[in-house]
């Protein structure tokens, strides 16, 4: 677990609705959505940044992609969604507990998404 807002959400210290949960990760709606569908897939193991992942995390990282696909299917957006991982402050990362953004429901363009 990490000492971040996501660590506290996963531990239940901060109540939050999980729209998906399995042994290794949860998914929650982003508090400040940047698209009509904006969901965060968060591993229960608290890796700060993708760049901090280790060879031991290989199975977990694959699991997160599969979970993201499952969540997209669950939400009915599996035909058009984008996955984003911000790595580091310079890339816009604000919560240092690895997470995948699922963005969907808007107009997907090459480098950005317009709601
Ligand atoms: P980052 O910028 O680190 O890639 O993404 C962090 C995301 O977490 C942001 O999109 C932000 O809106 C979201 N976020 C921050 N605090 C909370 C919270 O307490 N609950 C939820 N559901 N999302 C949060």
């Amino acid at each position: 677990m990490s000492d971040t807002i996501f660590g506290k959400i996963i531990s239940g210290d901060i109540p939050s609705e999980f729209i998906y949960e399995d042994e290794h990760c949860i998914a929650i709606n982003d508090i400040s959505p940047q698209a009509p569908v904006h969901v965060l897939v968060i591993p229960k193991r608290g890796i700060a940044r993708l760049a901090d992942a280790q060879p031991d995390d290989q199975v977990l990282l694959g699991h997160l992609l599969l979970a993201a696909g499952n969540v997209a299917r669950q939400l009915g957006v599996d035909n058009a969604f984008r996955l984003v991982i911000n790595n580091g402050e310079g890339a816009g990362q604000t919560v240092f507990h690895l997470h995948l953004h699922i963005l969907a429901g808007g107009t997907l363009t090459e480098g950005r998404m317009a709601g």
Side-chain angles (χ1 to χ4, degrees):
M1 210 64 66
S2 67
D3 189 25
T4 64
I5 190 98
F6 294 162
K8 290 174 184 143
I9 286 172
I10 290 163
S11 69
D13 288 349
I14 295 177
S16 185
E17 187 195 347
F18 297 174
I19 63 167
Y20 174 90
E21 180 176 16
D22 64 32
E23 194 184 346
H24 300 296
C25 67
I26 63 160
I28 58 175
N29 285 309
D30 197 289
I31 203 168
S32 175
Q34 304 299 307
V37 173
H38 187 171
V39 169
L40 304 170
V41 178
I42 309 172
K44 292 182 177 177
R45 190 186 305 167
I47 302 165
R49 308 175 308 164
L50 180 65
D52 298 316
Q54 300 297 314
D56 274 2
D57 297 314
Q58 184 168 336
V59 171
L60 175 62
L61 295 177
H63 180 87
L64 294 175
L65 291 180
L66 288 172
N70 288 338
V71 172
R73 202 170 306 110
Q74 178 184 314
L75 297 173
V77 297
D78 48 310
N79 282 331
F81 68 93
R82 174 168 295 157
L83 283 184
V84 172
I85 297 175
N86 296 321
N87 183 98
E89 233 168 53
Q93 186 175 3
T94 56
V95 180
F96 285 80
H97 179 134
L98 175 66
H99 51 281
L100 284 60
H101 296 255
I102 300 176
L103 297 158
T107 306
L108 294 170
T109 59
E110 203 172 305
R112 62 189 175 83
M113 171 172 291

